[in-house]
Amino acid sequence: MVKIRSYNGQVDRFGVEDLERRCEVGPAENVFLYTDTMGDPICRIRNSPVYNMLVAELNNEIVGVIQGTIKVVTLHKPPKNAAKVGYMLGLRVSPLHRRKRIGSKLVRHMEEWFISHQVDYAYMATEKDNEASVKLFVNKFGYVKFRNPTILIHPAASNPRSFRSPPGIEIMKLKVEQAEFLYRKVMSSMDFFSHDIDNILTNKLSLGTWAAYWRGEPSAGEFGRDGKVPNSWAMMSVWDSGEIFKLRVGQATLNCFLYAKMSRLMRKGFSCFKAPSMPEFFEPFGLFFIYGIFREGPSSRKLVRTLCKFVHNLATASKDNYSSSCNKVVVTEIGCCDKLKLDIPHWKLLSCPEDLWCIKALNNNEDIEAFLEFTKTPQNRGLFVDPREV
């Protein structure tokens, strides 16, 4: 008999870590990723306001886990624009115990936990081509396909380089108070904007928020004061996920493998050209996650590109407190129709043009027809991706 209960760090840690090592992430036809939580199985949810991990136990063995978080976000669903949402992530079932409805039991118990905390909507993210996950959530539990964000990935350079912004562009690190004020001013109307943005910005994993603007523009000298901003400006924040977990590629497509091999050979043979090289993805690597990307003004596109290069350099130069490995990738996630993706450097081979978010109403008083209409709204509205849920 499978028993579902809350995670107990004192007795479950090693069992959950062992399960995580044996479970791949991602569809088999593309890439298998394995996660190293570095001794803290709940590291991916620990920084959320409310969180929980459930484990499935069979004959004193951990055979499945699922994690969930709760927060208040902006959601443009009448009659109000705020909602308490539960995010479901990290569903794992031991390879030896699949097809025994363990995953279904974990999802159902997590939904019950959400309901006990008065959550309005539950949502989850998966790969668009992950048939098993889509069948479980959409076909069995009634989740509705809701958004198709784009995940953009760029490997950090192998060697640090001194960064110089282009002529005429100024980059400044904002104070937390400045960043919070600006985010609430320009992004609070975006779907899934976290109302506790202050907690995100003050978290130790948030490395800071940087803004770029053109030197000499009006208001540039008083950036952010009383809401004053230049005519063209951009900002973004950076979250260091590599401090809490690492990823490792366990299987890759032939194209990916050959590209990695060739790029390393070219780097050795033509080192003077400083050609980019595929990171050692078969070794553990960390993530620098860019969040809260915003630009405004007719000349802001170059500002975004400049900030991205600044962050790439920051990732390359950063020290790793966990290991001697300097393997890092810079990742961001934006709405599928967001024009920002034209200005964010990324490798097409590594990126995902269409992720999949699914959502479900948990409130019994919800008007189902209105909810379904809401899920069909065009995806041209901005999307805020919480770095705590990466």
Side-chain angles (χ1 to χ4, degrees):
M1 177 72 71
V2 176
K3 178 182 178 181
I4 308 297
R5 58 174 176 80
S6 291
Y7 168 77
N8 183 330
Q10 293 183 338
V11 298
D12 296 332
R13 174 187 155 190
F14 293 109
V16 172
E17 286 184 324
D18 179 65
L19 176 65
E20 192 73 54
R21 281 191 292 268
R22 290 183 287 115
C23 289
E24 72 284 353
V25 181
E29 61 268 27
N30 291 325
V31 176
F32 277 152
L33 291 175
Y34 294 89
T35 306
D36 179 3
T37 57
M38 304 192 307
D40 184 11
I42 60 172
C43 63
R44 292 181 64 196
I45 59 175
R46 186 181 291 282
N47 294 288
S48 296
V50 183
Y51 60 87
N52 190 18
M53 174 188 271
L54 300 177
V55 301
E57 187 178 43
L58 178 63
N59 298 328
N60 296 319
E61 177 189 359
I62 303 296
V63 296
V65 297
I66 193 170
Q67 301 178 43
T69 65
I70 298 174
K71 61 183 178 180
V72 178
V73 302
T74 298
L75 208 57
H76 292 273
K77 169 72 175 64
K80 57 183 181 179
N81 289 333
K84 182 181 283 191
V85 296
Y87 179 59
M88 213 174 293
L89 70 158
L91 175 61
R92 309 277 190 268
V93 176
S94 169
L96 297 177
H97 296 280
R98 291 173 183 171
R99 301 183 184 277
K100 296 179 181 180
R101 296 186 293 181
I102 294 174
S104 297
K105 291 179 180 179
L106 287 166
V107 171
R108 184 169 64 253
H109 277 75
M110 184 58 73
E111 286 187 346
E112 291 172 356
W113 181 72
F114 285 158
I115 293 171
S116 71
H117 285 74
Q118 293 78 49
V119 165
D120 299 308
Y121 304 98
Y123 73 108
M124 51 75 69
T126 187
E127 298 83 8
K128 184 180 179 182
D129 298 325
N130 191 332
E131 294 183 4
S133 183
V134 172
K135 286 181 179 178
L136 175 64
F137 284 93
V138 176
N139 296 355
K140 183 165 186 176
F141 283 95
Y143 283 71
V144 179
K145 296 178 181 180
F146 178 57
R147 291 285 184 267
N148 294 109
T150 297
I151 300 175
L152 304 176
I153 301 175
H154 196 292
S158 56
N159 298 308
R161 303 177 189 177
S162 58
F163 174 82
R164 291 184 180 180
S165 60
I169 294 180
E170 294 281 357
I171 294 178
M172 67 177 292
K173 186 175 183 179
L174 301 177
K175 295 180 180 179
V176 171
E177 298 78 13
Q178 285 179 293
E180 180 187 353
F181 174 83
L182 289 172
Y183 276 129
R184 293 193 186 280
K185 178 184 177 183
V186 302
M187 299 188 74
S188 61
S189 62
M190 290 186 177
D191 277 340
F192 288 91
F193 177 80
S194 300
H195 287 199
D196 67 331
I197 184 67
D198 53 324
N199 290 333
I200 298 176
L201 295 172
T202 55
N203 190 286
K204 65 179 181 179
L205 298 177
S206 191
L207 302 182
T209 302
W210 285 266
Y213 53 89
W214 294 97
R215 187 180 301 126
E217 273 203 8
S219 302
E222 299 180 339
F223 191 95
R225 293 183 183 177
D226 301 321
K228 294 180 180 179
V229 292
N231 294 323
S232 293
W233 65 288
M235 71 173 176
M236 60 181 62
S237 299
V238 183
W239 184 274
D240 187 3
S241 297
E243 284 297 308
I244 55 175
F245 70 87
K246 302 288 185 184
L247 296 174
R248 175 181 60 84
V249 172
Q251 173 179 320
T253 60
L254 179 61
N255 287 342
C256 185
F257 177 79
L258 292 176
Y259 184 88
K261 190 79 172 178
M262 289 299 297
S263 66
R264 281 192 285 273
L265 289 174
M266 288 184 66
R267 185 178 64 177
K268 290 180 179 179
F270 303 96
S271 58
C272 57
F273 293 112
K274 297 181 179 180
S277 174
M278 182 80 79
E280 297 287 350
F281 285 145
F282 296 98
E283 298 294 329
F285 62 91
L287 306 181
F288 260 42
F289 188 76
I290 300 176
Y291 69 97
I293 307 175
F294 180 83
R295 70 174 178 87
E296 183 178 58
S299 304
S300 59
R301 295 185 60 181
K302 189 172 183 178
L303 300 177
V304 171
R305 292 194 291 269
T306 299
L307 282 174
C308 287
K309 291 179 181 178
F310 171 81
V311 173
H312 292 160
N313 190 73
L314 188 70
T316 301
S318 68
K319 301 284 186 179
D320 194 319
N321 295 327
Y322 178 69
S323 69
S324 59
S325 171
C326 294
N327 250 358
K328 295 183 183 70
V329 294
V330 179
V331 182
T332 191
E333 188 169 8
I334 59 177
C336 67
C337 300
D338 200 323
K339 295 180 180 180
L340 277 168
K341 63 183 175 183
L342 300 175
D343 305 310
I344 298 174
H346 62 280
W347 285 18
K348 187 175 180 180
L349 179 66
L350 303 177
S351 301
C352 174
E354 285 193 8
D355 200 23
L356 176 62
W357 286 18
C358 300
I359 193 169
K360 177 181 179 180
L362 297 181
N363 191 332
N364 290 331
N365 297 323
E366 180 74 38
D367 184 332
I368 298 301
E369 290 187 5
F371 170 72
L372 292 176
E373 187 66 28
F374 157 68
T375 62
K376 296 176 183 178
T377 56
Q379 300 192 33
N380 53 10
R381 185 185 293 118
L383 183 68
F384 182 88
V385 179
D386 193 330
R388 298 171 298 189
E389 297 174 353
V390 174

